[in-house]
Amino acid sequence: MPPSGGGSALLGYRDHYVVDGGKARIILSALVTPASITDNTPLLDLVDWVRSRWKIQPKLAVGDTKYGTVPNIVGLEERGIKAYLPTSDFSQRTKYYSAKLFQYDAEKDQYICPQSQILPLVSRRTSEQVLIYKPKAKVCNTCPVKIKCTGSKSGRHIFRSFFQEYLDKAETYRQTEAYLKALRKRSVWVEPLFGEAKEFHGLRRFRLRRLRRVNIEGVMVAAGQNLKRLIKHQVRI
């Protein structure tokens, strides 16, 4: 897959860990996927495997922005797990008004723009799982602040996910101290496990070949990391 910094394509793998929230940082699951599969794709499968294998029901799941996709947030919430996943802020990529400036009227199922104009529901895109709201073109084209809102001759469009209630619920988590604490804990408890695997367990480069064998190697490395923590715990007691 292409590296994040651009350049030619690279062949390789991605190593995924599910780690518990305790200080021991026990790795509950390890999975290696081809590099062509993005990081966020296996999340729900890993969660389901951990729940089934260890007979546990996690209260929350924490990940960084790349995991904050609509399917992951919805899937976690439907499983009764709080989705502590940040999402990308695409409003910074445009010079126009952010969609957050448009107020949603749930009773009438419509949006109200910063100039108090109505954006009714005009269509549904089932393939993209979004609802589209927009005013009549003449409303936007005569608006005194159109240049700040949209460059489209057909008017401003607002896209609302079919699963917006779940997304709004996840947004409320991000305003809490518990969410911020969870992200801080992940950065100092979970992320270093990958550095440890690369630095002390030879995971910078897999020795085996083919996906099945690479997964065996990845699981063995994770097991070794867990054993180190078990030994350390036994020494303490």
Side-chain angles (χ1 to χ4, degrees):
M1 68 171 295
S4 58
S8 59
L10 298 174
L11 296 176
Y13 299 97
R14 295 181 187 273
D15 195 18
H16 306 268
Y17 281 175
V18 177
V19 183
D20 76 353
K23 291 184 179 180
R25 301 182 297 158
I26 301 301
I27 301 170
L28 301 177
S29 179
L31 175 69
V32 179
T33 62
S36 57
I37 298 177
T38 56
D39 283 338
N40 60 68
T41 303
L43 185 144
L44 295 178
D45 288 337
L46 286 169
V47 168
D48 288 339
W49 189 92
V50 166
R51 293 167 67 204
S52 175
R53 175 64 180 84
W54 303 114
K55 309 301 180 185
I56 59 176
Q57 178 54 46
K59 294 182 180 180
L60 56 91
V62 188
D64 58 24
T65 305
K66 59 178 173 285
Y67 294 98
T69 63
V70 173
N72 283 343
I73 292 173
V74 173
L76 289 172
E77 290 293 331
E78 288 181 338
R79 289 164 172 77
I81 303 172
K82 292 182 178 180
Y84 279 19
L85 304 175
T87 55
S88 299
D89 184 6
F90 296 109
S91 65
Q92 304 300 320
R93 300 183 182 182
T94 176
K95 63 181 180 181
Y96 299 120
Y97 284 157
S98 167
K100 294 180 180 180
L101 297 178
F102 292 73
Q103 182 180 357
Y104 180 65
D105 184 338
E107 183 178 348
K108 297 181 179 179
D109 191 19
Q110 63 185 20
Y111 278 89
I112 303 173
C113 82
Q115 292 294 305
S116 301
Q117 297 293 339
I118 303 300
L119 283 74
L121 174 64
V122 294
S123 65
R124 293 174 171 82
R125 291 185 184 174
T126 305
S127 60
E128 299 175 36
Q129 297 184 312
V130 294
L131 306 170
I132 303 176
Y133 299 77
K134 67 178 290 294
K136 292 182 178 180
K138 64 180 181 181
V139 173
C140 281
N141 291 333
T142 58
C143 178
V145 295
K146 179 188 175 183
I147 192 173
K148 296 181 180 180
C149 188
T150 180
S152 173
K153 293 181 180 180
S154 62
R156 176 63 186 261
H157 296 63
I158 295 294
F159 298 88
R160 181 178 178 85
S161 171
F162 285 3
F163 311 101
Q164 193 63 45
E165 290 184 6
Y166 285 126
L167 302 182
D168 290 342
K169 189 175 182 181
E171 178 64 28
T172 64
Y173 301 151
R174 300 179 195 121
Q175 315 305 319
T176 66
E177 178 57 33
Y179 169 85
L180 298 176
K181 181 179 179 180
L183 257 62
R184 290 195 298 267
K185 183 160 60 171
R186 179 184 183 276
S187 66
V188 297
W189 283 10
V190 178
E191 290 295 340
L193 287 174
F194 294 104
E196 175 187 310
K198 292 178 180 178
E199 189 69 24
F200 303 111
H201 298 275
L203 209 60
R204 291 186 183 277
R205 183 181 181 89
F206 286 104
R207 297 181 179 181
L208 303 180
R209 294 295 180 268
R210 296 190 178 182
L211 188 59
R212 177 176 175 274
R213 295 172 182 174
V214 166
N215 264 282
I216 292 173
E217 185 176 347
V219 170
M220 291 179 66
V221 169
Q225 291 179 271
N226 282 343
L227 284 173
K228 287 167 60 178
R229 281 153 183 77
L230 175 61
I231 294 170
K232 185 176 181 180
H233 174 73
Q234 290 180 330
V235 170
R236 286 180 177 177
I237 60 177

